[in-house]
Amino acid sequence: MYKHVFLTGPPGVGKTTLVQKACEALVSSGVGVEGFYTAEVREGGRRVGFDVVTLAGERGDLSRIREGAGASHGGRECMVGQYVVDVPSFESLALPLFRHVRLQADGPGCRTKVFVIDEIGKMELFSQPFIRAVRQTLDGSSCTVLGTIPVPKGKPLGVVEEVRSRRDVKVFTVSKENRNALLQDILTTLQECLKRGRQNQ
């Protein structure tokens, strides 16, 4: 039986937009939603990086294009393609969200019912504490996770494959053709997960 919902699909297909629409629908139906999504940062029409944005509206750097090749060879830079990943900035915004959900789960009357993780991808996986937090949240029984994972390409990402193969995870593959029709399916599955969660409490 499914407990969590994840979306996968090629970059730029609209996974984050679907997550945001699902969140709006959940909130308007009275469901408590927390978590974060990633947003493109554009300057003069060109993508220069990504930010991590919490559902409460806080924003921090996730990655930026490194200007000028060979700018820094001294430090151990975390790179994905042309992007330098700002792991401390990401952790300072994302990790407290996981802690908050876990603390709520231990307390009476958990308010957060759906926790958003957009996304579990190469950039985010530079953070070991993030990987641990993802596993703990998926294994915990308190909330349903709505997340996104990349399509398999090249070397498999351990945690991503773990998520994909979990029996309690329903994975929707988003394409340009189906993305408008998928929202209702995603919401229906989430509502079923939440209903089951209430029965198990």
Side-chain angles (χ1 to χ4, degrees):
M1 300 308 266
Y2 299 124
K3 200 178 129 195
H4 308 297
V5 176
F6 276 81
L7 312 183
T8 191
V13 78
K15 298 185 293 293
T16 298
T17 303
L18 264 174
V19 166
Q20 288 169 320
K21 284 180 178 170
C23 288
E24 283 165 22
L26 289 166
V27 169
S28 65
S29 66
V31 176
V33 182
E34 263 190 79
F36 69 90
Y37 61 91
T38 46
E40 283 189 356
V41 179
R42 301 186 87 87
E43 280 174 16
R46 134 187 134 107
R47 188 167 76 191
V48 295
F50 294 91
D51 276 357
V52 55
V53 185
T54 72
L55 294 186
E58 296 172 275
R59 196 175 185 115
D61 289 4
L62 173 59
S63 65
R64 291 291 181 273
I65 287 177
R66 183 167 72 198
E67 298 299 348
S72 151
H73 285 302
R76 217 181 96 254
E77 274 191 339
C78 300
M79 301 276 304
V80 174
Q82 60 188 347
Y83 298 100
V84 180
V85 182
D86 189 338
V87 176
S89 167
F90 169 65
E91 289 184 344
S92 71
L93 215 56
L95 295 181
L97 297 170
F98 285 96
R99 278 196 293 274
H100 186 235
V101 160
R102 275 208 303 284
L103 285 171
Q104 276 196 39
D106 297 336
C110 173
R111 288 175 301 285
T112 302
K113 298 297 178 198
V114 175
F115 188 63
V116 175
I117 310 174
D118 171 37
E119 74 171 351
I120 303 173
K122 272 186 183 164
M123 292 184 182
E124 295 80 5
L125 295 182
F126 280 116
S127 167
Q128 288 301 318
F130 171 72
I131 293 172
R132 281 195 297 276
V134 166
R135 285 181 175 139
Q136 284 170 337
T137 307
L138 288 171
D139 290 338
S141 60
S142 58
C143 60
T144 290
V145 172
L146 169 61
T148 65
I149 49 176
V151 284
K153 194 174 86 200
K155 189 163 160 274
L157 301 170
V159 184
V160 172
E161 294 315 309
E162 258 175 58
V163 170
R164 201 190 308 279
S165 58
R166 284 178 71 108
R167 286 212 297 272
D168 61 354
V169 167
K170 166 78 175 164
V171 178
F172 288 98
T173 301
V174 183
S175 66
K176 284 193 167 70
E177 293 73 40
N178 74 1
R179 63 186 175 193
N180 294 328
L182 263 188
L183 182 60
Q184 201 45 58
D185 292 347
I186 292 165
L187 287 169
T188 302
T189 308
L190 282 168
Q191 295 293 357
E192 284 165 7
C193 294
L194 290 166
K195 200 159 75 191
R196 234 181 335 272
R198 281 196 297 274
Q199 288 163 355
N200 294 339
Q201 274 173 5

